[in-house]
Amino acid sequence: MTVSCPLCQHQARVFYQFKHRLYHQCDFCYGVFMDPALWPDRQAEQSRYLEHLNDVEDKRFQHFVSPITQAVQQFFKSHHQGLDFGAGHAPVITHVLNQSGFTIAAYDPLFFNDDELLKQQYDYICSCEVIEHFHQPANSFALLRDCLKPGGRLFCMTEIYHEAIDFHRWNYKNDPTHVF
């Protein structure tokens, strides 16, 4: 059975299999992704996200997202329009930037699902701990590109797998919603 990469559509091979876990790696872009038959449905995803004890007032959570909020503040002014894409149930990036006078909207397909926000263009888009959840990353990145104004910036933050990581012991893969 051959599996196509959800990012570039090239052929992928089995990369890792252990018990009920099965991951593939693309022969072209080297993306690693969970077997599509194991992807959680929206209800399972939402349940998993609600297990996160995120609070927009939590200083540790604010510090965690600070690489993105600081980058926005470095490259943009408060009059620029932003989108917090995949904001989750506690949109801390939106909160922190709003507190600093920035205009940023929160979008999340499960918690802040206002599709009108995806019909607009933004000076910048923030996506913190989101891209590893993309079931169709090519489509999701195309959407984000279309939502950016010319010259706009996409700020992403995630853990990226590399060969020095022992995939078997890598905790990041253990979240069942981390599919790519």
Side-chain angles (χ1 to χ4, degrees):
M1 176 178 102
T2 60
V3 177
S4 296
C5 175
L7 178 61
C8 71
Q9 302 306 310
H10 284 84
Q11 186 172 338
R13 59 182 167 74
V14 171
F15 174 74
Y16 173 83
Q17 189 168 11
F18 182 74
K19 296 184 180 179
H20 67 283
R21 302 265 184 177
L22 176 60
Y23 290 84
H24 304 276
Q25 185 171 40
C26 178
D27 293 329
F28 183 75
C29 74
Y30 302 106
V32 174
F33 58 95
M34 182 187 297
D35 190 272
L38 302 175
W39 290 349
D41 62 23
R42 287 179 80 93
Q43 184 177 358
E45 283 183 306
Q46 186 172 26
S47 295
R48 172 69 179 121
Y49 302 150
L50 289 172
E51 291 175 10
H52 298 142
L53 302 176
N54 297 343
D55 175 0
V56 298
E57 299 293 340
D58 183 338
K59 296 298 181 195
R60 292 172 299 166
F61 193 22
Q62 292 177 6
H63 177 74
F64 177 75
V65 302
S66 67
I68 287 184
T69 57
Q70 290 173 1
V72 168
Q73 292 170 334
Q74 176 184 353
F75 291 104
F76 294 95
K77 303 290 184 208
S78 60
H79 69 274
H80 290 112
Q81 301 293 309
L83 179 68
D84 184 354
F85 183 85
H89 65 88
V92 70
I93 289 173
T94 301
H95 176 77
V96 168
L97 290 174
N98 282 164
Q99 294 291 100
S100 297
F102 281 74
T103 304
I104 181 169
Y107 173 81
D108 189 280
L110 298 173
F111 302 103
F112 296 94
N113 191 0
D114 180 358
D115 288 337
E116 290 301 311
L117 293 173
L118 303 179
K119 296 176 183 174
Q120 300 175 38
Q121 287 195 312
Y122 301 90
D123 298 295
Y124 61 91
I125 298 174
C126 304
S127 197
C128 183
E129 295 292 318
V130 174
I131 62 177
E132 66 276 8
H133 300 270
F134 288 170
H135 288 207
Q136 300 299 324
N139 295 344
S140 298
F141 282 117
L143 170 67
L144 293 174
R145 180 196 60 228
D146 292 346
C147 287
L148 278 174
K149 292 179 181 177
R153 288 187 182 228
L154 172 62
F155 298 97
C156 297
M157 192 168 100
T158 189
E159 282 192 40
I160 297 176
Y161 173 74
H162 54 83
E163 290 179 4
I165 292 174
D166 178 354
F167 195 80
H168 180 75
R169 297 189 196 291
W170 192 35
N171 189 51
Y172 208 65
K173 73 161 181 350
N174 295 338
D175 184 325
T177 64
H178 291 182
V179 298
F180 190 86

